[in-house]
Amino acid sequence: MRHVISLLIENESGALSRVSGLFSARGYNIESLTVAPTEDPSLSRMTIVTTGSDEIVEQITKQLNKLVDVVKVVDISESAHIERELLLVKVRATGKDREEIKRTSDIFRGHIIDVTDASYVIELTGTQNKLDSFLGALDASLILETVRSGICGIGRGDRVLKV
Amino acid sequence: MMLSGAEIVVRCLQEEKVEYVFGYPGGAVLFLYDELFKQDQIRHVLVRHEQAAVHAADGYARSTEKVGVALVTSGPGATNAVTGIATAYCDSIPVVIISGQVPTAAIGQDAFQEVDTVGITRPCVKHNFLVKRVEDIAPTIKKAFYLAASGRPGPVLVDIPKDITVAKCEFDYPKSISMRSYSPVSKGHQGQIKKAVQLLMEAKRPMIYAGGGAVLGNAAEQLTKLTKLLGFPITTTLMGLGGYPASDRQYLGMPGMHGTFEANMSMHFCDVLLAVGSRFDDRVIGNPAHFAEEPRKIIHIDIDPSSISKRVKVDVPIVGNIIDVLDEMIRAVEASTRRPEEDTLATWWKQVEEWRRRDCLKFKHDGEIIKPQFVVQKLWEVTNGDAFVTSDVGQHQMWAAQYYRFDKPRRWLNSGGLGTMGVGLPYAMGAQFAHPGSPVACVTGEASIQMCIQELSTCKQFRLPIKIVNLNNRYLGMVRQWQQIFHGGRYSESYMDSLPDFAKLAEAYGHVGLRIDKAGDVEGALREAFQRKNDLVFLDFQVDPTENVYPMVQGGKGLTEMILSAEDL
Ligand SMILES: Cc1ncc(C[n+]2csc(CCOP(=O)(O)OP(=O)(O)O)c2C)c(N)n1
């Protein structure tokens, strides 16, 4: 089962390696991990996408909670939540491909944020599925480079993860 | 008044009422050593290898309720300390390690004696810190002691660059500490405690299984009281020995790979199991799938939520301080009019006694050849069961655990989790420093003792009258046992050739050395050793080289699938 774990951690040097070290030392999967400081610069927020049985994910959250720098941990995928990922894709765009690519990007509500006479860089945010579909809709031979951020997640409604 | 970082470190240690620092100097900690020199409140113990510094601090902590302190220099000082740190971590022992680091500006430059100490130790500490400003030293050391001792204890390392020990600031030791990211629980959940007590009262075949958490949580008294109140059988793990008096009738010995027949059978066939500060480790329950075949309800008390339902599913988890939770349970049992049904309990005890009658720890003992078990038995008699006993790792460790009957907690010091050969002598040093007048024995093997033998020199310097009980079988005995049973008797590299004459070696260090070859001389030698109150005595017992540890549950097997003696092989 896929789980999305959000956590708040003291924004100290080495905090990230405590978390990533825990996952590698205990053999847990990390599909993606994103981290950045919050509006309170002393805290960082992390979103970790992982897979594992219920028992493993229970252990993961317990082990994360045990890290001294970790302030809070929530498995946000246990209830209604939103996930978004950012994709930047550089495509070869020449001749009649330019129009076609622009149209596909519009359909997915992408933005072309860099243009040369031979290429576009398209920015797209959405769920992992949406980004996958967009990449699938592009002619694979035109894709020069892709970069994805890994997902950020937040609970729906009035559930908040805060100190 | 402005103080240097080095002065501040020493002042912090004084504030923490540290009696002993076990350490070894070097370039990065010269200013710290200079400050230690200028005061006489804290005694520094100069070990002969940094591994022993951490082990000794760890042994000091195990034998007291205090935090042990070690001090090492950067680079090789820190890497030498790693085995000690990992050993303390695996057994949840509160130790604060202060390591020197190259000056801040040199960090990352591949400077002389630079290693990423915080990075190397991260997976084997409860927490660690790199101090970047002199103002941070006092609050960081305060946190280090707090973290090491609270919640589930463990080692905490503070890495201090050399320039920070020179820089100055005002010294103010924080009175208290609060960390938003760290708040260990204490009280257990009321509802869960109630549920647990109810289960215990309804049990037909109850069993108590206590581990190192009961000892580290200083809950031996409460554990004993509750067990007596309920009248249930109890087993304590290798780490829990002494958590319940071994000479009591309700005590069934140790469970697990080399546990007693009665403890393992009772663990397996009970219908309600009360686990207290224990973690269903692979050396205790063997194969978890086999353990799960027999239905039983499990109550698990632990300070660390991640220990619960990790290897076996638990029905009633109780997270909290063991001492507090047991107190609550005792109150609940005392307040309740219900008691476990006497007849049912008597039937269960009849079964348990039948298992006990197998007398699984009996061993053949005739003629002059010294049986290692016999030496431990005699050690127990000669010391009236009242010594601090440390061990290394191997067969001798299991025999010490099986045949020395610990009635009090914190008397048995061994590396249960990491299984580190070499801990025995430094543990004995830590215990002897903490308990100057008390008998301290180190039960070891000829291989293990050589892993920290250099500490005989420290023992001389500080006049530690430790008694070393070397069960010399000329083999890496535990390795030989596995090779005999699982590898067709191919004794690959497990025979120790060219052993030193240990008695002479001890004498070379200025101690007393005795070699004992005959069973008839065992008791006399032990008595003589313990009568020498001021001397370290190295007793080199030439024991039966072919003896094995029984009972034995092979790795991957179930608890009931025990090899009870050589005849079962
Ligand atoms: C540092 C370390 N290296 C290797 C081992 C593996 N090991 C476990 S027991 C053992 C043999 C110990 O021999 P000895 O100290 O003579 O004790 P005996 O088993 O003979 O009583 C070894 C090598 C270990 N536990 N620790």
Side-chain angles (χ1 to χ4, degrees), chain B residues 33-331:
Chain B
Y33 272 86
D34 204 29
E35 290 309 321
L36 280 173
F37 186 83
K38 294 178 194 161
Q39 56 86 55
D40 54 13
Q41 189 176 328
I42 299 166
R43 271 185 84 194
H44 180 275
V45 176
L46 179 68
V47 294
R48 283 5 180 206
H49 187 296
E50 288 88 348
Q51 177 184 349
V54 184
H55 287 331
D58 167 342
Y60 175 89
R62 284 178 203 247
S63 71
T64 60
E65 296 175 15
K66 300 180 198 159
V67 177
V69 181
L71 170 59
V72 298
T73 192
S74 68
T79 53
N80 271 352
V82 170
T83 299
I85 298 171
T87 303
Y89 181 68
C90 288
D91 289 342
S92 308
I93 306 301
V95 182
V96 169
I97 304 98
I98 295 177
S99 54
Q101 184 52 278
V102 301
T104 320
I107 290 179
Q109 309 286 314
D110 300 325
F112 177 63
Q113 295 195 327
E114 178 189 2
V115 292
D116 175 9
T117 304
V118 164
I120 288 176
T121 56
R122 186 173 296 127
C124 60
V125 291
K126 181 167 172 183
H127 198 61
N128 59 18
F129 300 92
L130 172 63
V131 180
K132 293 189 179 139
R133 303 179 323 146
V134 64
E135 293 80 11
D136 293 341
I137 291 180
T140 304
I141 293 182
K142 179 81 189 174
K143 275 187 202 168
F145 276 86
Y146 169 58
L147 288 171
S150 60
R152 180 175 182 170
V156 179
L157 178 135
V158 182
D159 200 26
I160 310 179
K162 188 169 185 179
D163 56 316
I164 306 293
T165 65
V166 182
K168 290 189 166 183
C169 74
E170 287 289 336
F171 173 64
D172 180 23
Y173 200 61
K175 292 269 171 308
S176 63
I177 204 89
S178 102
M179 297 169 73
R180 64 180 170 187
S181 63
Y182 177 81
S183 47
V185 286
S186 61
K187 290 258 174 295
H189 188 279
Q190 285 300 326
Q192 294 292 88
I193 292 176
K194 232 169 142 181
K195 245 197 246 171
V197 170
Q198 190 175 347
L199 258 182
L200 292 171
M201 297 301 187
E202 288 163 3
K204 296 195 168 55
R205 299 182 309 279
M207 177 72 182
I208 301 175
Y209 146 60
V215 173
L216 288 173
N218 302 316
E221 200 188 309
Q222 283 74 5
L223 179 65
T224 308
K225 191 165 174 197
L226 182 68
T227 308
K228 290 263 151 218
L229 204 55
L230 294 168
F232 295 170
I234 178 170
T235 176
T236 58
T237 68
L238 182 68
M239 296 309 297
L241 298 181
Y244 186 90
S247 44
D248 187 76
R249 195 193 64 91
Q250 278 167 257
Y251 184 66
L252 304 189
M254 179 171 82
M257 181 171 272
H258 294 298
T260 64
F261 184 70
E262 53 271 31
N264 283 346
M265 296 300 276
S266 308
M267 283 276 286
H268 194 78
F269 291 107
C270 65
D271 71 338
V272 175
L273 182 63
L274 171 63
V276 184
S278 45
R279 58 190 177 95
F280 297 89
D281 155 66
D282 53 302
R283 287 295 194 261
V284 168
I285 59 157
N287 182 348
H290 180 275
F291 188 65
E293 278 169 15
E294 200 65 28
R296 67 177 86 66
K297 292 260 183 265
I298 300 179
I299 305 160
H300 190 175
I301 311 172
D302 208 288
I303 186 93
D304 176 6
S306 73
S307 281
I308 295 177
S309 289
K310 184 167 69 179
R311 299 194 75 247
V312 300
K313 242 187 83 48
V314 167
D315 302 279
V316 185
I318 306 174
V319 177
N321 250 343
I322 294 194
I323 196 165
D324 292 328
V325 174
L326 290 181
D327 265 331
E328 296 263 348
M329 286 177 79
I330 291 167
R331 268 201 294 279

Side-chain angles (χ1 to χ4, degrees), chain B residues 246-474:
Chain B
S247 44
D248 187 76
R249 195 193 64 91
Q250 278 167 257
Y251 184 66
L252 304 189
M254 179 171 82
M257 181 171 272
H258 294 298
T260 64
F261 184 70
E262 53 271 31
N264 283 346
M265 296 300 276
S266 308
M267 283 276 286
H268 194 78
F269 291 107
C270 65
D271 71 338
V272 175
L273 182 63
L274 171 63
V276 184
S278 45
R279 58 190 177 95
F280 297 89
D281 155 66
D282 53 302
R283 287 295 194 261
V284 168
I285 59 157
N287 182 348
H290 180 275
F291 188 65
E293 278 169 15
E294 200 65 28
R296 67 177 86 66
K297 292 260 183 265
I298 300 179
I299 305 160
H300 190 175
I301 311 172
D302 208 288
I303 186 93
D304 176 6
S306 73
S307 281
I308 295 177
S309 289
K310 184 167 69 179
R311 299 194 75 247
V312 300
K313 242 187 83 48
V314 167
D315 302 279
V316 185
I318 306 174
V319 177
N321 250 343
I322 294 194
I323 196 165
D324 292 328
V325 174
L326 290 181
D327 265 331
E328 296 263 348
M329 286 177 79
I330 291 167
R331 268 201 294 279
V333 174
E334 281 174 340
S336 154
T337 48
R338 277 196 71 179
R339 281 290 175 275
E341 215 197 300
E342 264 178 46
D343 290 351
T344 325
L345 197 54
T347 315
W348 172 231
W349 265 112
K350 228 177 108 201
Q351 170 66 76
V352 172
E353 292 299 350
E354 203 178 304
W355 287 327
R356 178 147 47 194
R357 270 198 298 279
R358 285 289 277 269
D359 194 9
C360 66
L361 292 181
K362 70 171 175 291
F363 55 93
K364 284 207 195 75
H365 177 243
D366 40 29
E368 283 302 356
I369 187 141
I370 303 176
K371 288 290 179 181
Q373 301 95 319
F374 175 71
V375 178
V376 178
Q377 261 182 359
K378 286 290 162 200
L379 174 67
W380 177 68
E381 282 174 30
V382 167
T383 56
N384 300 316
D386 214 23
F388 288 85
V389 178
T390 75
S391 85
D392 273 297
V393 176
Q395 293 181 313
H396 63 272
Q397 174 192 24
M398 292 302 123
W399 288 318
Q402 290 173 329
Y403 294 90
Y404 199 97
R405 305 177 68 78
F406 294 93
D407 283 341
K408 293 184 197 148
R410 295 189 181 276
R411 293 292 168 114
W412 162 241
L413 287 65
N414 85 129
S415 167
L418 197 64
T420 309
M421 290 168 68
V423 297
L425 183 52
Y427 276 179
M429 288 159 46
Q432 190 77 79
F433 275 113
H435 308 276
S438 304
V440 176
C442 165
V443 177
T444 184
E446 76 296 333
S448 292
I449 191 67
Q450 292 191 77
M451 286 213 179
C452 272
I453 192 91
Q454 74 285 347
E455 296 309 316
L456 284 175
S457 175
T458 313
C459 292
K460 186 65 195 173
Q461 183 179 341
F462 292 89
R463 300 193 168 74
L464 302 177
I466 294 162
K467 311 304 172 216
I468 297 174
V469 177
N470 189 32
L471 302 180
N472 188 342
N473 53 13
R474 278 87 74 203

Side-chain angles (χ1 to χ4, degrees), chain A residues 1 7 20 55 82 107-108 143:
Chain A
M1 264 284 281
L7 59 95
S20 59
E55 291 79 42
I82 300 161
I107 292 169
F108 281 86
I143 298 177

Side-chain angles (χ1 to χ4, degrees), chain A residues 3 8 42-43 60 66 71 95 97 99-100 111 116-117 127:
Chain A
H3 287 258
L8 291 171
S42 70
L43 278 179
I60 292 177
K66 206 163 118 179
V71 185
D97 286 341
E99 222 2 75
E100 178 60 25
H111 300 287
T116 71
D117 51 8
T127 61

